[in-house]
Amino acid sequence: MQLVCLGTTGFHPNARRHTASFLLPEVGVVLDAGTGLFRLAEHLATQQIHIFLSHAHLDHVSGLTYLVETFGVDAYDQVTVHGTADKLEAVKRHLYAPHIFPVAPGYQFCPLGETCELPKNSAGDAGTLRTFPLKHPGGSIGMRLQWPGHSLAYVTDTTAMAGADYIEQIRGVDLLVHESNFPAGQDELAELTGHSCLDKVAQVAAAAEVGRLVVTHVDPLLTKDEDFDLSDAHEVFAKTQIAQDLDVLDF
Ligand SMILES: [Zn+2]
Ligand SMILES: [Zn+2]
């Protein structure tokens, strides 16, 4: 299966990266709806889409307002937005407040619990999604998505650390997409903002024995790849790479 990186930064876009959004075209599943969601239409391969929100900070939801262009306002049977009840309420009340966005789109909003069934893939297998809580200002949720022979975990926004209690939830996945807003060694800033440093994310990937690690939600102020030194991660977990917008990741 494939994951298309529609947006790989956080906070605000820069010249190379849009904010958090990922698409599994084969099943019409979207993870987060940041500004990268404007790219959805050209990669979409299904009639219906299911959007799963990690939380409701603007860099993860602002793209929900772009869908009107793709699906129109009456999209009840095409677009379902999943998230915890409090975050969906915040989106409906604030993002779609008439003074903020002039039309109320007719999407379904579906409160998300610990598990959720996912659409069948091209092999005809149904998938499952499992959520787990993450420590972040206002709260966030991590997700593990699984189809027979294919597994993926998406962990953003949170502060990674050795011994993090979500490690068991992501154990053994083929692909771990984990935020690393900061390079190695910026632990104070990471703790203050509720984000992660690269060295700690690599420790989590190693402890969880994942197949490979792709870091995302890269600080938008780092506009050159060489600013983000992966050697700190490679010492701990060799199969680490940085996501770039429009990368297609197999899992
Ligand atoms: Zn974020
Ligand atoms: Zn956040």
Side-chain angles (χ1 to χ4, degrees):
M1 297 180 71
Q2 293 188 319
L3 182 74
V4 181
C5 303
L6 302 177
T8 60
T9 188
F11 186 26
H12 64 77
N14 65 24
R16 291 193 304 115
R17 297 178 188 275
H18 273 272
T19 74
S21 192
F22 296 85
L23 167 68
L24 290 85
E26 184 178 334
V27 286
V29 166
V30 173
L31 307 175
D32 275 338
T35 62
L37 202 64
F38 85 94
R39 296 181 163 129
L40 179 67
E42 68 182 282
H43 298 279
L44 201 58
T46 56
Q47 293 290 320
Q48 277 103 26
I49 64 161
H50 291 269
I51 300 174
F52 293 87
L53 301 177
S54 62
H55 63 314
H57 285 161
L58 277 175
D59 53 334
H60 299 256
V61 302
S62 55
L64 289 173
T65 60
Y66 311 159
L67 292 176
V68 166
E69 201 172 78
T70 309
F71 294 99
V73 292
D74 299 318
Y76 283 106
D77 53 355
Q78 284 180 285
V79 181
T80 307
V81 182
H82 305 258
T84 56
D86 55 339
K87 304 301 190 291
L88 294 185
E89 193 52 41
V91 165
K92 284 191 276 187
R93 181 174 301 185
H94 302 295
L95 192 64
Y96 294 125
H99 287 299
I100 303 292
F101 191 69
V103 281
Y107 311 144
Q108 293 187 60
F109 288 86
C110 185
L112 184 58
E114 281 180 16
T115 60
C116 180
E117 200 169 302
L118 295 173
K120 287 179 180 170
N121 63 11
S122 56
D125 295 319
T128 54
L129 179 142
R130 224 169 50 224
T131 67
F132 44 92
L134 297 172
K135 198 179 146 219
H136 185 62
S140 181
I141 52 170
M143 305 172 205
R144 181 184 181 124
L145 296 83
Q146 198 138 353
W147 288 261
H150 308 273
S151 56
L152 156 74
Y154 178 57
V155 179
T156 197
D157 297 9
T158 196
T159 308
M161 61 186 76
D165 51 12
Y166 60 84
I167 287 173
E168 287 313 310
Q169 306 280 355
I170 62 172
R171 181 164 297 285
V173 290
D174 302 322
L175 171 63
L176 169 61
V177 178
H178 197 303
E179 79 128 293
S180 184
N181 201 79
F182 301 111
Q186 299 202 12
D187 298 87
E188 255 180 56
L189 201 51
E191 183 69 32
L192 184 73
T193 58
H195 289 291
S196 295
C197 293
L198 181 62
D199 50 334
K200 301 299 188 300
V201 176
Q203 288 173 19
V204 165
E209 300 176 300
V210 302
R212 66 171 166 146
L213 166 65
V214 176
V215 295
T216 185
H217 206 291
V218 180
D219 186 344
L221 298 177
L222 299 176
T223 52
K224 294 185 211 150
D225 268 351
E226 53 268 36
D227 287 338
F228 207 120
D229 183 3
L230 276 182
S231 61
D232 296 297
H234 287 155
E235 281 171 26
V236 181
F237 191 76
K239 288 187 182 169
T240 304
Q241 71 182 86
I242 296 182
Q244 307 291 342
D245 279 23
L246 299 179
D247 275 356
V248 178
L249 307 171
D250 293 303
F251 69 97

